[in-house]
Amino acid sequence: AGPDLKVISTMSVGFDHLALEEIKKRGIRVGYTPDVLTDATAERSVALLLAACRRLPEALEQVKNAGQARGMCATGDGSAGMAAGPSSLSLLGQAVARRLKPFGVKKFLYTGSRPRPESDAEFEAEFVPLTRLAEESDFVVVTCALTPATQGMCNKDFFSKMKKTSVFINTSRGAVVNQEDLYNALAQGQIAVAGLDVTTPEPLPTDHPLLSLKNCVILPHIGSATYATRSTMAVLAANNLLAGLRGEPMPHELLL
C-alpha cells in the first residue's frame, strides 16, 4: 500500500499474519476483532473433537458408499469419564472446558504461562507442566495463542508422551504443531486420532500426507463461521477502520 497506509483492520482475533515490526516502525494503527468469536470457536472445537473420536467422517463415507457399520467398524471413544487437557485456560480454553464438562469429562488439566486459580474452582482444573498434560490427557485440545514459546510446541517429543488412545485437537494456529511429527504419530499409531481446524499452510495442498489418513479430520479454519459471529466481526472491523481513519479511538485496537 506504500507510505500512505495509516490504518489496518483485520477481521480476526489472531494477528500473526501481520508484519508487526514493520507496522510498528511505520506507526500504522491496527484494529482487530477479539472476544466476539470465542463461543463459536469453542463450539467448533467440541464438534471437531466428537467428529474425530467417534469417527464420523468415516461413517459418512460408508453411507455414501452404501455401506453399513458392522461389528467394530467405525467404532470410536466417548468422552464420559475421560480427562481433557486444554493447552491453556484462556477465554477459548475456558469456553471449551465449559462445553465439555456436561459430557462427563471427569478431570481437566491445563498448562500455560501461569495458573489461573479463578478458573480452577469452576472446572476443578489442575495446572500442570506440558509434559504431564500430554501424558495424562485422553483429549488434548490446543487453545493457546501462537507465540515464539508455543511455535512447534506439539512435536515428536510431545506426541511420544501422549497415550496411544488419545485424541489431539488443534483449534488455535497451525504453526503450534509440527505437522510432519503429527503425521508420523498418527501413521505409526502413537496417538489414535487428530482433528485440525488450522494448518500450515492454509489451505493444505491436496496431496499433503495428513489428508491421506483416515484418523485425521481436517476442517478449513471455520471456527468463527456462524452467521451471527461473522456479521459481528465484519461490523467491528468496519468500525475499527472508520475510527482509525478519523483519528478516533478504535473499539478494539491492537496496542503495539
Side-chain angles (χ1 to χ4, degrees):
D4 292 333
L5 181 62
K6 301 300 180 186
V7 181
I8 294 173
S9 181
T10 179
M11 191 172 142
S12 65
V13 63
F15 43 82
D16 50 282
H17 57 292
L18 300 178
L20 295 180
E21 288 303 317
E22 183 68 16
I23 289 168
K24 185 176 180 180
K25 185 172 73 174
R26 296 192 190 188
I28 298 169
R29 298 176 66 189
V30 176
Y32 69 133
T33 60
D35 305 333
V36 297
L37 61 159
T38 301
D39 287 338
T41 304
E43 291 168 1
R44 179 277 324 268
S45 300
V46 174
L48 184 56
L49 188 155
L50 293 172
C53 70
R54 294 300 302 271
R55 299 172 64 183
L56 298 188
E58 290 179 66
L60 178 60
E61 284 303 311
Q62 288 183 15
V63 172
K64 289 182 176 180
N65 295 309
Q68 183 173 346
R70 301 180 187 279
M72 298 297 287
C73 184
T75 303
D77 286 315
S79 59
M82 300 293 194
S87 63
S88 72
L89 276 184
S90 58
L91 287 177
L92 176 57
Q94 292 177 50
V96 170
R98 203 167 283 124
R99 285 160 175 77
L100 283 177
K101 197 171 183 180
F103 282 89
V105 174
K106 68 177 182 181
K107 186 176 183 181
F108 289 97
L109 305 175
Y110 71 100
T111 190
S113 58
R114 62 178 178 85
R116 295 179 179 268
E118 69 279 5
S119 301
D120 291 354
E122 178 182 355
F123 305 110
E124 298 180 12
E126 184 179 355
F127 179 73
V128 297
L130 183 65
T131 297
R132 186 177 161 198
L133 182 137
E135 292 172 344
E136 298 185 17
S137 297
D138 297 287
F139 308 116
V140 172
V141 185
V142 181
T143 56
C144 61
L146 177 61
T147 67
T150 61
Q151 184 161 358
M153 175 180 73
C154 300
N155 54 23
K156 180 179 180 180
D157 182 62
F158 180 87
F159 296 125
S160 70
K161 291 179 171 59
M162 290 176 63
K163 301 178 182 180
K164 292 185 181 298
T165 55
S166 58
V167 178
F168 177 81
I169 303 295
N170 184 19
T171 57
S172 60
R173 286 292 182 269
V176 173
V177 178
N178 182 311
Q179 291 179 169
E180 182 178 354
D181 291 349
L182 175 61
Y183 171 81
N184 290 331
L186 290 166
Q188 296 167 12
Q190 284 186 325
I191 63 174
V193 65
L196 310 174
D197 187 45
V198 288
T199 57
T200 304
E202 293 178 357
L204 276 183
T206 56
D207 60 350
H208 194 281
L210 283 172
L211 293 172
S212 69
L213 298 174
K214 286 187 176 181
N215 59 340
C216 187
V217 180
I218 301 178
L219 302 178
H221 203 153
I222 55 170
S224 62
T226 70
Y227 291 115
T229 300
R230 288 283 174 88
S231 296
T232 302
M233 291 172 69
V235 171
L236 179 53
N239 286 334
N240 282 336
L241 181 60
L242 292 171
L245 291 173
R246 295 176 184 137
E248 300 170 355
M250 293 182 182
H252 281 285
E253 182 167 0
L254 182 63
L255 301 178
L256 299 177

